[in-house]
Amino acid sequence: VRTDTHYPVGFMDTVSIEKTGQHFRLSFDTKGRFFLVPISQEDVKMKLCRIKHQAVGKKGIPYVVTHDGRTLRYPDPEVKVNDTVLVNVSENKIVDHIKFEVGNIAMITGGFNHGRVGVIYNVEKHEGGYTIVHLRDSRGSTFLTRNSNVFAIGHGSTPLVPLPR
């Protein structure tokens, strides 16, 4: 819990206002701007984090590093780089994980399509180049982006976190 008003917040962080009892999650709107999404008291304890790095530390202890700098020890062996994990912030434990695979819903966190949400329907792996991900939004239009810009947010077409309207 941070109470410093000048401490930076980022994507998927929660902001709570004690006096009013309101809680918000920082997300992106469809134009790529930061947007505060109202959430419930139970959702404050949970956060989605994208896996950036996976390794084995001293004494053979496996760990993963997330997009916000968290180091999580002893992850599920199924968790790989580019997957998303649902983390209990108070205990710093992985509750659930979302595979980065075809059929899952994802949000774009960078590039021209910043803030758009769609279902992954194809992943092109280019040797020596960037991996390109094809997504289809709720209107049926398709768009592509680099693998590093895609943040899986749910199983199938249902997101684990509320989305901005």
Side-chain angles (χ1 to χ4, degrees), residues 84-95:
T84 303
V85 292
L86 183 64
V87 177
N88 184 333
V89 178
S90 59
E91 298 174 6
N92 209 27
K93 300 282 184 199
I94 297 174
V95 177

Side-chain angles (χ1 to χ4, degrees), residues 28-30 35 37 162-165:
F28 296 118
D29 66 359
T30 54
F35 188 81
V37 180
L163 296 173
R165 294 282 156 213

Side-chain angles (χ1 to χ4, degrees), residues 10-14 25-27 43-51 66-70 72 83-89 93-99 105-107 109 151-155 158-163:
F11 183 61
M12 288 294 164
D13 282 343
T14 57
R25 175 164 282 122
L26 200 63
S27 185
D43 290 341
V44 171
K45 299 173 189 160
M46 300 297 177
K47 178 179 181 179
L48 285 179
C49 297
R50 185 173 191 263
I51 303 298
T66 63
H67 79 281
D68 62 347
R70 292 177 191 273
L72 304 170
D83 289 353
T84 303
V85 292
L86 183 64
V87 177
N88 184 333
V89 178
K93 300 282 184 199
I94 297 174
V95 177
D96 191 12
H97 80 279
I98 304 164
K99 297 294 287 178
I105 190 167
M107 179 176 271
T109 59
F151 192 107
I153 57 172
H155 301 287
T158 57
L160 289 180
V161 295
L163 296 173

Side-chain angles (χ1 to χ4, degrees), residues 12-71:
M12 288 294 164
D13 282 343
T14 57
V15 177
S16 297
I17 303 172
E18 303 261 334
K19 291 183 180 180
T20 61
Q22 295 175 313
H23 307 285
F24 301 95
R25 175 164 282 122
L26 200 63
S27 185
F28 296 118
D29 66 359
T30 54
K31 294 187 177 183
R33 300 173 296 205
F34 278 120
F35 188 81
L36 292 173
V37 180
I39 57 173
S40 65
Q41 177 66 35
E42 298 85 39
D43 290 341
V44 171
K45 299 173 189 160
M46 300 297 177
K47 178 179 181 179
L48 285 179
C49 297
R50 185 173 191 263
I51 303 298
K52 290 288 206 181
H53 180 71
Q54 181 179 23
V56 178
K58 290 184 179 179
K59 299 182 183 176
I61 298 173
Y63 69 92
V64 292
V65 180
T66 63
H67 79 281
D68 62 347
R70 292 177 191 273
T71 300

